[in-house]
Amino acid sequence: MANSYTYYPDGSPTINLLNVTENIGAVDLWGIELEGDVSPTEGLSLSGSFGLAESEIKSFVCAECLNIAGTDDATGNRLSGVPRLTWTASASYEHPVAEDWWGYARIDYRHRGRQYVDYYNAAWSRNDDKVDLRIGARQDNGLSFEAFATNLFNEQTLTGFRGTDLVTLATNDIRIALPEKRRLGIRFSYEF
C-alpha cells in the first residue's frame, strides 16, 4: 500500500508530496476459488469459476482516510479494490461445417461484485456484469475469421477507481475511469 503525505519544508506554502510504501498493517483475509470445465457432448464445452474474498482491516494508519473522514483509522473496514464475489460462466460449441472447416461460437458472462473505492469504505462501485460473444469459422490450415462483441449489452459500470486525488490532495475526492464500452468487430487471422 502506498500512502501519500503532504509536507511543507521550511514553512513554504508549496505543497510537497511524500509517497511512502508501507505494509498495510494487519488484515484478516480469507477466500475460496473454484473452477470447473465439463464437455457434456462432443463439441460442447461449459466452464465456470467462482471466487469469494472476505477481508477486514485489523490495523492500518490510513492517510487517505484522514483526508476523507478526519481519522487515520481504517480498522474494521474492507480492503479497497477487492470485490467480495466474482464469477464467470462460459459455453462454447465447435462443429464441422464443410471439408476442413470448423464453425464455432462462444459466450462468456463475467460478474464482479461491488468493491470499495477507498480504505475508509466511504464509496463503492456497483456490480459489474458483462457478456462477450464470438462466432466464427476456422480452417485446418490455420485460416480463421470471426465476428465478436465485447460488453454486448453495453454495461456502463465505472472502473479504475482511485481514492483521494494525489495531485490536489482534495478531500472527499474520488477519481474514476470511464466504463468499457461495447465493441463490435470482425477478426481475420492466419497461423503458420
Side-chain angles (χ1 to χ4, degrees):
M1 168 64 190
N3 265 331
S4 294
Y5 300 95
T6 57
Y7 67 100
Y8 303 90
D10 304 323
S12 167
T14 303
I15 295 176
N16 292 281
L17 290 179
L18 176 63
N19 288 321
V20 179
T21 301
E22 301 174 297
N23 187 325
I24 197 166
V27 175
D28 277 350
L29 177 63
W30 68 270
I32 185 170
E33 290 183 6
L34 302 170
E35 291 184 20
D37 297 296
V38 64
S39 295
T41 62
E42 185 175 346
L44 177 63
S45 295
L46 305 173
S47 61
S49 66
F50 173 81
L52 170 67
E54 292 288 355
S55 65
E56 182 182 356
I57 297 173
K58 293 299 187 181
S59 68
F60 175 46
V61 178
C62 174
E64 177 180 86
C65 300
L66 190 59
N67 288 336
I68 294 171
T71 179
D72 62 4
D73 185 14
T75 303
N77 296 345
R78 291 183 54 86
L79 288 174
S80 71
V82 180
R84 183 173 182 268
L85 290 174
T86 57
W87 57 269
T88 64
S90 300
S92 62
Y93 184 71
E94 184 176 80
H95 188 63
V97 292
E99 185 177 341
D100 298 332
W101 281 93
W102 292 79
Y104 63 88
R106 180 179 176 103
I107 187 166
D108 297 289
Y109 192 108
R110 299 175 280 147
H111 171 81
R112 184 190 71 210
R114 86 177 200 171
Q115 58 186 331
Y116 287 102
V117 174
D118 58 277
Y119 286 101
Y120 189 70
N121 293 176
W124 59 88
S125 70
R126 66 180 184 172
N127 291 343
D128 184 23
D129 294 283
K130 291 190 172 65
V131 175
D132 301 330
L133 180 65
R134 294 186 298 155
I135 300 172
R138 64 174 180 79
Q139 194 174 33
D140 288 339
N141 69 3
L143 177 64
S144 67
F145 65 91
E146 70 178 22
F148 67 89
T150 59
N151 192 10
L152 180 63
F153 300 111
N154 207 26
E155 167 66 34
Q156 296 295 303
T157 301
L158 300 171
T159 60
F161 299 95
R162 173 69 187 125
T164 305
D165 177 36
L166 297 179
V167 176
T168 64
L169 294 174
T171 57
N172 301 322
D173 185 39
I174 295 173
R175 301 295 169 111
I176 56 176
L178 293 175
E180 170 191 335
K181 297 276 192 171
R182 175 177 42 225
R183 288 186 306 152
L184 305 173
I186 298 175
R187 184 179 296 135
F188 295 92
S189 65
Y190 181 71
E191 295 180 16
F192 54 91

Tab-separated table of all heavy atoms in Angstrom, residues 122-164:
chain	number	residue	atom	x	y	z
A	122	ALA	N	-15.974	4.639	2.204
A	122	ALA	CA	-16.995	5.678	2.043
A	122	ALA	C	-17.724	5.553	0.709
A	122	ALA	O	-18.871	5.959	0.584
A	122	ALA	CB	-16.344	7.063	2.135
A	123	ALA	N	-17.067	4.991	-0.301
A	123	ALA	CA	-17.680	4.894	-1.626
A	123	ALA	C	-17.362	3.532	-2.230
A	123	ALA	O	-16.347	2.921	-1.922
A	123	ALA	CB	-17.146	6.004	-2.532
A	124	TRP	N	-18.238	3.070	-3.105
A	124	TRP	CA	-18.030	1.781	-3.745
A	124	TRP	C	-18.575	1.811	-5.158
A	124	TRP	O	-19.384	2.657	-5.523
A	124	TRP	CB	-18.721	0.667	-2.937
A	124	TRP	CG	-20.190	0.858	-2.781
A	124	TRP	CD1	-21.179	0.441	-3.631
A	124	TRP	CD2	-20.856	1.549	-1.721
A	124	TRP	NE1	-22.401	0.825	-3.167
A	124	TRP	CE2	-22.238	1.496	-1.982
A	124	TRP	CE3	-20.424	2.190	-0.567
A	124	TRP	CZ2	-23.178	2.078	-1.142
A	124	TRP	CZ3	-21.362	2.756	0.267
A	124	TRP	CH2	-22.723	2.688	-0.016
A	125	SER	N	-18.125	0.851	-5.937
A	125	SER	CA	-18.664	0.668	-7.290
A	125	SER	C	-19.786	-0.358	-7.204
A	125	SER	O	-19.808	-1.199	-6.310
A	125	SER	CB	-17.578	0.158	-8.231
A	125	SER	OG	-17.244	-1.179	-7.914
A	126	ARG	N	-20.683	-0.295	-8.145
A	126	ARG	CA	-21.769	-1.272	-8.166
A	126	ARG	C	-21.282	-2.570	-8.815
A	126	ARG	O	-20.164	-2.651	-9.325
A	126	ARG	CB	-22.971	-0.713	-8.914
A	126	ARG	CG	-22.697	-0.502	-10.386
A	126	ARG	CD	-23.900	0.049	-11.099
A	126	ARG	NE	-23.619	0.145	-12.522
A	126	ARG	CZ	-24.509	0.440	-13.425
A	126	ARG	NH1	-25.741	0.682	-13.061
A	126	ARG	NH2	-24.188	0.507	-14.692
A	127	ASN	N	-22.158	-3.575	-8.823
A	127	ASN	CA	-21.846	-4.829	-9.511
A	127	ASN	C	-21.564	-4.555	-10.979
A	127	ASN	O	-22.168	-3.659	-11.580
A	127	ASN	CB	-23.009	-5.806	-9.402
A	127	ASN	CG	-23.220	-6.318	-8.000
A	127	ASN	OD1	-22.345	-6.221	-7.149
A	127	ASN	ND2	-24.401	-6.860	-7.748
A	128	ASP	N	-20.686	-5.345	-11.542
A	128	ASP	CA	-20.316	-5.197	-12.948
A	128	ASP	C	-20.564	-6.533	-13.641
A	128	ASP	O	-19.944	-7.540	-13.282
A	128	ASP	CB	-18.842	-4.797	-13.046
A	128	ASP	CG	-18.394	-4.531	-14.465
A	128	ASP	OD1	-19.245	-4.234	-15.325
A	128	ASP	OD2	-17.175	-4.625	-14.728
A	129	ASP	N	-21.485	-6.567	-14.596
A	129	ASP	CA	-21.818	-7.785	-15.332
A	129	ASP	C	-21.650	-7.535	-16.819
A	129	ASP	O	-22.268	-6.623	-17.365
A	129	ASP	CB	-23.262	-8.201	-15.036
A	129	ASP	CG	-23.445	-8.614	-13.592
A	129	ASP	OD1	-23.044	-9.738	-13.265
A	129	ASP	OD2	-23.974	-7.812	-12.802
A	130	LYS	N	-20.816	-8.351	-17.457
A	130	LYS	CA	-20.553	-8.179	-18.884
A	130	LYS	C	-20.690	-9.504	-19.620
A	130	LYS	O	-20.365	-10.563	-19.085
A	130	LYS	CB	-19.163	-7.597	-19.106
A	130	LYS	CG	-19.049	-6.157	-18.655
A	130	LYS	CD	-17.739	-5.542	-19.107
A	130	LYS	CE	-17.691	-4.065	-18.826
A	130	LYS	NZ	-17.712	-3.707	-17.428
A	131	VAL	N	-21.146	-9.411	-20.872
A	131	VAL	CA	-21.295	-10.571	-21.741
A	131	VAL	C	-20.473	-10.334	-22.998
A	131	VAL	O	-20.558	-9.268	-23.608
A	131	VAL	CB	-22.778	-10.797	-22.117
A	131	VAL	CG1	-22.914	-11.934	-23.120
A	131	VAL	CG2	-23.611	-11.071	-20.875
A	132	ASP	N	-19.667	-11.325	-23.363
A	132	ASP	CA	-18.871	-11.291	-24.591
A	132	ASP	C	-19.334	-12.432	-25.491
A	132	ASP	O	-19.711	-13.505	-25.012
A	132	ASP	CB	-17.378	-11.452	-24.294
A	132	ASP	CG	-16.840	-10.369	-23.371
A	132	ASP	OD1	-17.370	-9.253	-23.402
A	132	ASP	OD2	-15.885	-10.655	-22.633
A	133	LEU	N	-19.276	-12.223	-26.801
A	133	LEU	CA	-19.756	-13.216	-27.766
A	133	LEU	C	-18.799	-13.292	-28.946
A	133	LEU	O	-18.314	-12.252	-29.424
A	133	LEU	CB	-21.158	-12.810	-28.247
A	133	LEU	CG	-21.855	-13.712	-29.259
A	133	LEU	CD1	-22.164	-15.071	-28.648
A	133	LEU	CD2	-23.145	-13.048	-29.727
A	134	ARG	N	-18.519	-14.525	-29.397
A	134	ARG	CA	-17.709	-14.739	-30.607
A	134	ARG	C	-18.360	-15.824	-31.453
A	134	ARG	O	-18.775	-16.856	-30.932
A	134	ARG	CB	-16.291	-15.198	-30.246
A	134	ARG	CG	-15.481	-14.161	-29.532
A	134	ARG	CD	-14.051	-14.615	-29.332
A	134	ARG	NE	-13.989	-15.803	-28.498
A	134	ARG	CZ	-13.003	-16.694	-28.519
A	134	ARG	NH1	-12.010	-16.564	-29.366
A	134	ARG	NH2	-13.003	-17.728	-27.712
A	135	ILE	N	-18.437	-15.578	-32.753
A	135	ILE	CA	-18.951	-16.559	-33.707
A	135	ILE	C	-18.014	-16.543	-34.906
A	135	ILE	O	-17.691	-15.469	-35.426
A	135	ILE	CB	-20.391	-16.222	-34.159
A	135	ILE	CG1	-21.325	-16.203	-32.957
A	135	ILE	CG2	-20.868	-17.204	-35.221
A	135	ILE	CD1	-22.718	-15.694	-33.265
A	136	GLY	N	-17.574	-17.732	-35.339
A	136	GLY	CA	-16.644	-17.739	-36.455
A	136	GLY	C	-16.430	-19.115	-37.044
A	136	GLY	O	-17.139	-20.072	-36.750
A	137	ALA	N	-15.414	-19.179	-37.879
A	137	ALA	CA	-15.031	-20.431	-38.534
A	137	ALA	C	-13.519	-20.459	-38.678
A	137	ALA	O	-12.880	-19.418	-38.823
A	137	ALA	CB	-15.714	-20.553	-39.896
A	138	ARG	N	-12.979	-21.663	-38.608
A	138	ARG	CA	-11.537	-21.822	-38.794
A	138	ARG	C	-11.286	-23.008	-39.711
A	138	ARG	O	-12.049	-23.973	-39.735
A	138	ARG	CB	-10.821	-21.996	-37.468
A	138	ARG	CG	-11.195	-23.226	-36.723
A	138	ARG	CD	-10.338	-23.418	-35.473
A	138	ARG	NE	-10.722	-24.627	-34.762
A	138	ARG	CZ	-10.372	-25.854	-35.096
A	138	ARG	NH1	-9.609	-26.066	-36.159
A	138	ARG	NH2	-10.783	-26.893	-34.390
A	139	GLN	N	-10.215	-22.895	-40.456
A	139	GLN	CA	-9.824	-23.945	-41.382
A	139	GLN	C	-8.639	-24.698	-40.782
A	139	GLN	O	-7.838	-24.117	-40.034
A	139	GLN	CB	-9.452	-23.340	-42.729
A	139	GLN	CG	-9.358	-24.342	-43.848
A	139	GLN	CD	-9.128	-23.663	-45.192
A	139	GLN	OE1	-8.478	-22.630	-45.262
A	139	GLN	NE2	-9.643	-24.263	-46.252
A	140	ASP	N	-8.507	-25.972	-41.122
A	140	ASP	CA	-7.422	-26.774	-40.568
A	140	ASP	C	-6.046	-26.209	-40.905
A	140	ASP	O	-5.087	-26.420	-40.179
A	140	ASP	CB	-7.512	-28.226	-41.066
A	140	ASP	CG	-8.681	-28.972	-40.425
A	140	ASP	OD1	-9.139	-28.531	-39.352
A	140	ASP	OD2	-9.120	-29.990	-40.989
A	141	ASN	N	-5.934	-25.450	-42.006
A	141	ASN	CA	-4.619	-24.915	-42.401
A	141	ASN	C	-4.238	-23.645	-41.633
A	141	ASN	O	-3.201	-23.051	-41.883
A	141	ASN	CB	-4.564	-24.651	-43.904
A	141	ASN	CG	-5.461	-23.493	-44.337
A	141	ASN	OD1	-6.089	-22.836	-43.518
A	141	ASN	ND2	-5.514	-23.268	-45.645
A	142	GLY	N	-5.088	-23.178	-40.694
A	142	GLY	CA	-4.733	-22.026	-39.864
A	142	GLY	C	-5.483	-20.747	-40.171
A	142	GLY	O	-5.348	-19.764	-39.453
A	143	LEU	N	-6.278	-20.723	-41.233
A	143	LEU	CA	-7.062	-19.537	-41.578
A	143	LEU	C	-8.318	-19.502	-40.701
A	143	LEU	O	-8.980	-20.518	-40.506
A	143	LEU	CB	-7.463	-19.578	-43.052
A	143	LEU	CG	-8.342	-18.443	-43.575
A	143	LEU	CD1	-7.586	-17.117	-43.499
A	143	LEU	CD2	-8.775	-18.744	-45.000
A	144	SER	N	-8.649	-18.324	-40.161
A	144	SER	CA	-9.874	-18.210	-39.380
A	144	SER	C	-10.445	-16.802	-39.491
A	144	SER	O	-9.721	-15.846	-39.792
A	144	SER	CB	-9.616	-18.546	-37.900
A	144	SER	OG	-8.797	-17.580	-37.304
A	145	PHE	N	-11.727	-16.687	-39.302
A	145	PHE	CA	-12.388	-15.385	-39.228
A	145	PHE	C	-13.504	-15.478	-38.199
A	145	PHE	O	-14.071	-16.550	-37.981
A	145	PHE	CB	-12.911	-14.934	-40.598
A	145	PHE	CG	-13.997	-15.799	-41.167
A	145	PHE	CD1	-15.331	-15.523	-40.918
A	145	PHE	CD2	-13.690	-16.908	-41.948
A	145	PHE	CE1	-16.337	-16.312	-41.438
A	145	PHE	CE2	-14.692	-17.714	-42.467
A	145	PHE	CZ	-16.019	-17.419	-42.216
A	146	GLU	N	-13.792	-14.367	-37.560
A	146	GLU	CA	-14.853	-14.365	-36.571
A	146	GLU	C	-15.449	-12.976	-36.425
A	146	GLU	O	-14.784	-11.971	-36.685
A	146	GLU	CB	-14.356	-14.861	-35.205
A	146	GLU	CG	-13.419	-13.931	-34.501
A	146	GLU	CD	-13.004	-14.458	-33.125
A	146	GLU	OE1	-13.087	-15.669	-32.868
A	146	GLU	OE2	-12.587	-13.632	-32.304
A	147	ALA	N	-16.699	-12.940	-35.994
A	147	ALA	CA	-17.363	-11.708	-35.578
A	147	ALA	C	-17.407	-11.761	-34.054
A	147	ALA	O	-17.595	-12.828	-33.472
A	147	ALA	CB	-18.767	-11.641	-36.158
A	148	PHE	N	-17.189	-10.620	-33.424
A	148	PHE	CA	-17.163	-10.621	-31.963
A	148	PHE	C	-17.837	-9.384	-31.400
A	148	PHE	O	-17.959	-8.358	-32.065
A	148	PHE	CB	-15.714	-10.709	-31.442
A	148	PHE	CG	-14.882	-9.492	-31.736
A	148	PHE	CD1	-14.847	-8.415	-30.857
A	148	PHE	CD2	-14.138	-9.420	-32.894
A	148	PHE	CE1	-14.084	-7.299	-31.129
A	148	PHE	CE2	-13.365	-8.304	-33.178
A	148	PHE	CZ	-13.337	-7.244	-32.295
A	149	ALA	N	-18.262	-9.512	-30.163
A	149	ALA	CA	-18.817	-8.391	-29.407
A	149	ALA	C	-18.304	-8.521	-27.981
A	149	ALA	O	-18.427	-9.579	-27.369
A	149	ALA	CB	-20.334	-8.428	-29.420
A	150	THR	N	-17.684	-7.465	-27.479
A	150	THR	CA	-17.317	-7.435	-26.070
A	150	THR	C	-18.249	-6.438	-25.387
A	150	THR	O	-18.624	-5.432	-25.977
A	150	THR	CB	-15.845	-7.013	-25.861
A	150	THR	OG1	-15.632	-5.726	-26.428
A	150	THR	CG2	-14.894	-8.008	-26.503
A	151	ASN	N	-18.644	-6.767	-24.167
A	151	ASN	CA	-19.638	-5.977	-23.437
A	151	ASN	C	-20.898	-5.807	-24.301
A	151	ASN	O	-21.363	-4.699	-24.563
A	151	ASN	CB	-19.071	-4.620	-23.010
A	151	ASN	CG	-19.950	-3.897	-22.024
A	151	ASN	OD1	-20.901	-4.446	-21.485
A	151	ASN	ND2	-19.648	-2.629	-21.800
A	152	LEU	N	-21.423	-6.929	-24.740
A	152	LEU	CA	-22.527	-6.984	-25.696
A	152	LEU	C	-23.702	-6.083	-25.333
A	152	LEU	O	-24.285	-5.427	-26.191
A	152	LEU	CB	-23.005	-8.438	-25.826
A	152	LEU	CG	-24.155	-8.708	-26.778
A	152	LEU	CD1	-23.765	-8.367	-28.208
A	152	LEU	CD2	-24.592	-10.164	-26.677
A	153	PHE	N	-24.083	-6.003	-24.055
A	153	PHE	CA	-25.239	-5.220	-23.645
A	153	PHE	C	-24.858	-3.823	-23.168
A	153	PHE	O	-25.656	-3.118	-22.571
A	153	PHE	CB	-26.028	-5.985	-22.580
A	153	PHE	CG	-26.527	-7.305	-23.083
A	153	PHE	CD1	-25.994	-8.492	-22.598
A	153	PHE	CD2	-27.494	-7.367	-24.073
A	153	PHE	CE1	-26.436	-9.713	-23.078
A	153	PHE	CE2	-27.937	-8.585	-24.557
A	153	PHE	CZ	-27.405	-9.763	-24.064
A	154	ASN	N	-23.626	-3.423	-23.447
A	154	ASN	CA	-23.123	-2.072	-23.179
A	154	ASN	C	-23.294	-1.662	-21.704
A	154	ASN	O	-23.734	-0.561	-21.391
A	154	ASN	CB	-23.803	-1.059	-24.095
A	154	ASN	CG	-22.926	0.160	-24.343
A	154	ASN	OD1	-21.698	0.081	-24.264
A	154	ASN	ND2	-23.544	1.274	-24.640
A	155	GLU	N	-22.916	-2.568	-20.806
A	155	GLU	CA	-22.936	-2.292	-19.359
A	155	GLU	C	-22.065	-1.073	-19.078
A	155	GLU	O	-20.957	-0.962	-19.585
A	155	GLU	CB	-22.411	-3.522	-18.597
A	155	GLU	CG	-22.094	-3.291	-17.159
A	155	GLU	CD	-23.302	-2.964	-16.315
A	155	GLU	OE1	-24.395	-3.493	-16.589
A	155	GLU	OE2	-23.151	-2.168	-15.389
A	156	GLN	N	-22.549	-0.146	-18.270
A	156	GLN	CA	-21.860	1.135	-18.059
A	156	GLN	C	-21.269	1.320	-16.660
A	156	GLN	O	-21.177	2.435	-16.159
A	156	GLN	CB	-22.831	2.285	-18.362
A	156	GLN	CG	-23.275	2.333	-19.807
A	156	GLN	CD	-22.129	2.628	-20.750
A	156	GLN	OE1	-21.460	3.636	-20.621
A	156	GLN	NE2	-21.898	1.740	-21.692
A	157	THR	N	-20.856	0.240	-16.024
A	157	THR	CA	-20.248	0.354	-14.702
A	157	THR	C	-18.902	1.062	-14.812
A	157	THR	O	-18.078	0.725	-15.656
A	157	THR	CB	-20.049	-1.037	-14.074
A	157	THR	OG1	-21.322	-1.667	-13.987
A	157	THR	CG2	-19.439	-0.934	-12.686
A	158	LEU	N	-18.686	2.032	-13.955
A	158	LEU	CA	-17.418	2.765	-13.945
A	158	LEU	C	-16.314	1.884	-13.373
A	158	LEU	O	-16.559	1.003	-12.555
A	158	LEU	CB	-17.560	4.043	-13.118
A	158	LEU	CG	-18.622	5.009	-13.628
A	158	LEU	CD1	-18.840	6.130	-12.624
A	158	LEU	CD2	-18.224	5.570	-14.977
A	159	THR	N	-15.075	2.138	-13.814
A	159	THR	CA	-13.943	1.310	-13.391
A	159	THR	C	-12.765	2.199	-13.027
A	159	THR	O	-12.819	3.414	-13.162
A	159	THR	CB	-13.509	0.360	-14.528
A	159	THR	OG1	-13.129	1.157	-15.662
A	159	THR	CG2	-14.613	-0.593	-14.923
A	160	GLY	N	-11.681	1.602	-12.607
A	160	GLY	CA	-10.438	2.329	-12.375
A	160	GLY	C	-10.529	3.375	-11.292
A	160	GLY	O	-10.113	4.503	-11.486
A	161	PHE	N	-11.055	3.022	-10.149
A	161	PHE	CA	-11.249	3.984	-9.069
A	161	PHE	C	-9.947	4.317	-8.363
A	161	PHE	O	-9.069	3.500	-8.236
A	161	PHE	CB	-12.235	3.432	-8.041
A	161	PHE	CG	-13.582	3.176	-8.621
A	161	PHE	CD1	-13.923	1.918	-9.071
A	161	PHE	CD2	-14.504	4.199	-8.733
A	161	PHE	CE1	-15.166	1.684	-9.614
A	161	PHE	CE2	-15.748	3.968	-9.266
A	161	PHE	CZ	-16.083	2.711	-9.713
A	162	ARG	N	-9.874	5.511	-7.868
A	162	ARG	CA	-8.757	5.950	-7.026
A	162	ARG	C	-9.344	6.851	-5.969
A	162	ARG	O	-10.098	7.765	-6.285
A	162	ARG	CB	-7.710	6.699	-7.854
A	162	ARG	CG	-6.610	7.335	-7.049
A	162	ARG	CD	-5.690	6.301	-6.432
A	162	ARG	NE	-4.748	6.951	-5.543
A	162	ARG	CZ	-4.579	6.622	-4.287
A	162	ARG	NH1	-5.254	5.642	-3.752
A	162	ARG	NH2	-3.723	7.259	-3.541
A	163	GLY	N	-8.998	6.616	-4.724
A	163	GLY	CA	-9.488	7.451	-3.635
A	163	GLY	C	-8.921	8.851	-3.742
A	163	GLY	O	-8.829	9.418	-4.813
A	164	THR	N	-8.487	9.421	-2.689
A	164	THR	CA	-8.010	10.798	-2.632
A	164	THR	C	-7.073	11.122	-3.792
A	164	THR	O	-6.159	10.379	-4.092
A	164	THR	CB	-7.264	11.034	-1.311
A	164	THR	OG1	-8.144	10.684	-0.256
A	164	THR	CG2	-6.832	12.470	-1.174
